Amino acid sequence: MDALTFLRADHESVLGMIESLERGRGNGEAELAARDHLATSLVIAASQHEAVEEQFFWPAVRRALPDGDELADRALAQEESGKRLLQRIDDSEVGTPDFEGALTEFIRALREHIEFEQNQVWPRFGQAQSPQELEGLGEKMATAKKTAPTRPHPATPSRSGAQKTAGLAAAVLDKARDLVTGRRSHRPPDPPAP
């Protein structure tokens, strides 16, 4: 699958989760449990997605486009803010004011970030890359997602090298913690291939 198709499938999956979280703001025990499960799935999916972008997509944008550094820097700043919000979501109890506030901020920021990527970066990046380059990048990202961190790690630098080293170590710890705590069952399924 090519890089932009891979990223679009991830975006659609995450957008589906936030739409469900926006609709299900009830306070009943079953509703809160369902929101908790879905919020954990959102944190996992968004954390993996951002780690993969930081490892592969944004470095490719930097190389491919004349203003790639500026575009990548803007996107990474958005992602850093998103990681801090994801951490608040992960640390907060569902239904509390901090959880709901962080979720509302994250949803707004996520939609803004996706709009920037899809409308400003992807068209230009897609034109600057050959189909083979897009396919190769997509394969690397799909492989990397399997070993990506499942938590936001806002203190880990967004640079590709840091993500490939410190991010990999964080991912190993995340997966061990997920297994011990049962959080592993909240991992969302991979989006279907087109």
Side-chain angles (χ1 to χ4, degrees):
M1 153 178 352
D2 77 59
L4 300 180
T5 302
F6 170 84
L7 293 172
R8 184 175 307 282
D10 262 11
H11 284 179
E12 289 174 2
S13 175
V14 170
L15 286 169
M17 287 181 221
I18 65 170
E19 288 168 5
S20 293
L21 284 163
E22 284 179 310
R23 284 192 306 269
R25 294 191 186 251
N27 291 323
E29 189 175 321
E31 290 170 313
L32 289 174
R35 279 175 61 77
D36 183 53
H37 182 89
L38 189 55
T40 300
S41 295
L42 172 67
V43 169
I44 292 169
S47 296
Q48 290 178 318
H49 177 82
E50 298 307 337
V52 168
E53 280 189 337
E54 290 169 5
Q55 288 178 35
F56 295 101
F57 182 68
W58 296 117
V61 168
R62 288 182 191 281
R63 290 187 301 271
L65 299 175
D67 60 344
D69 285 337
E70 179 184 321
L71 294 169
D73 289 345
R74 180 175 169 192
L76 290 172
Q78 292 172 339
E79 290 175 6
E80 287 300 318
S81 174
K83 284 186 215 178
R84 288 189 296 276
L85 291 168
L86 283 172
Q87 189 66 59
R88 279 181 53 203
I89 291 167
D90 204 34
D91 291 344
S92 302
E93 189 174 324
V94 173
T96 64
D98 191 48
F99 174 88
E100 296 300 334
L103 180 62
T104 298
E105 284 182 61
F106 180 75
I107 289 170
R108 181 200 50 74
L110 177 70
R111 286 188 171 132
E112 181 181 301
H113 178 66
I114 288 174
E115 186 279 327
F116 169 70
E117 271 189 44
Q118 291 185 179
N119 296 333
Q120 295 184 42
V121 179
W122 291 4
R124 294 180 52 218
F125 182 74
Q127 290 178 343
Q129 299 291 286
S130 71
Q132 295 80 13
E133 289 169 319
L134 288 171
E135 189 71 29
L137 182 58
E139 289 172 14
K140 286 179 187 175
M141 292 191 302
T143 299
K145 185 175 178 183
K146 294 173 185 163
T147 59
T150 60
R151 298 169 193 267
H153 301 287
T156 302
S158 299
R159 294 182 316 278
S160 176
Q163 282 297 319
K164 288 178 181 175
T165 56
L168 186 57
V172 170
L173 291 174
D174 286 354
K175 289 178 189 326
R177 287 173 59 198
D178 291 350
L179 185 62
V180 169
T181 63
R183 188 175 187 265
R184 183 174 164 182
S185 66
H186 296 337
R187 184 176 178 267
D190 289 332

